[in-house]
Amino acid sequence: MKIAIGNDHSALEMKREIKAYLEEKGHEVINFGTDTEESCDYPMYGEKVGRAVVAKEADLGILICGTGVGISLSANKVKGVRAVVCSEPYSAKLSKMHNNTNILAFGARVVGIELAKMIVDEWLNAEFEGGRHQRRVDMLMDIETR
Ligand code: RB5
């Protein structure tokens, strides 16, 4: 799978570890994040990954900042993005099964690396269930057109 990854300065080490973890599993990772610890602004990274996913340059996106909040909010401003911020695997899994999320975010200052890997695994391995959830996702996306 092709995965776009983005991060700000607070998540540099976490990004590196998650990128390596994904590559070990055979995924192709496109890095849109910062690669220095110099303070930077998360909205540009959320937007870059959001646009890459919507343009289908990547199948899915993963975003990491201090809390996962700012960077997921930024991605969600891009039409077509359904980004979720998760600190535990259950919501990550259900966000794919029911909400067909296309971007996962988490906080490098919130979760440790092992929990982050578990969240990523549950999210990547889950599949959208469609059916009644498709109707709700359609309703959700329709909000963008009004
Ligand atoms: C940066 O200090 C921090 O505000 C950012 O990484 C993120 O947590 C924002 O939501």
Side-chain angles (χ1 to χ4, degrees):
M1 200 176 280
K2 237 186 214 184
I3 300 173
I5 201 163
N7 62 287
D8 71 1
H9 56 283
S10 65
L12 183 54
E13 193 45 42
M14 178 73 86
K15 185 273 293 288
R16 286 183 177 148
E17 290 191 49
I18 293 294
K19 181 174 180 288
Y21 182 66
L22 292 168
E23 285 168 346
E24 268 169 35
K25 287 181 174 283
H27 298 292
E28 183 186 336
V29 182
I30 314 170
N31 179 19
F32 288 94
T34 184
D35 283 299
T36 76
E37 277 172 1
E38 196 180 321
S39 181
C40 62
D41 301 324
Y42 58 78
M44 60 191 272
Y45 303 105
E47 181 180 359
K48 278 182 185 178
V49 168
R51 293 205 185 281
V53 169
V54 170
K56 298 197 188 310
E57 286 166 38
D59 302 303
L60 292 169
I62 293 183
L63 289 170
I64 323 168
C65 65
T67 58
V69 174
I71 206 158
S72 61
L73 288 175
S74 328
N76 273 320
K77 296 292 179 191
V78 177
K79 237 181 182 180
V81 166
R82 289 176 301 282
V84 62
V85 55
C86 286
S87 305
E88 40 73 29
Y90 180 78
S91 303
K93 178 177 178 171
L94 268 288
S95 81
K96 180 77 88 57
M97 290 169 68
H98 290 186
N99 315 110
N100 202 14
T101 47
N102 48 14
I103 295 184
L104 169 71
F106 48 87
R109 294 173 179 160
V110 180
V111 298
I113 185 64
E114 294 308 321
L115 182 54
K117 286 177 185 172
M118 206 179 278
I119 291 168
V120 165
D121 283 342
E122 288 295 323
W123 185 68
L124 287 178
N125 293 336
E127 280 183 29
F128 181 49
E129 285 180 349
R132 67 186 190 282
H133 301 296
Q134 183 64 61
R135 183 180 70 247
R136 293 164 187 165
V137 170
D138 289 345
M139 288 171 72
L140 181 66
M141 301 320 284
D142 188 56
I143 297 170
E144 290 184 341
T145 68
R146 284 181 264 127

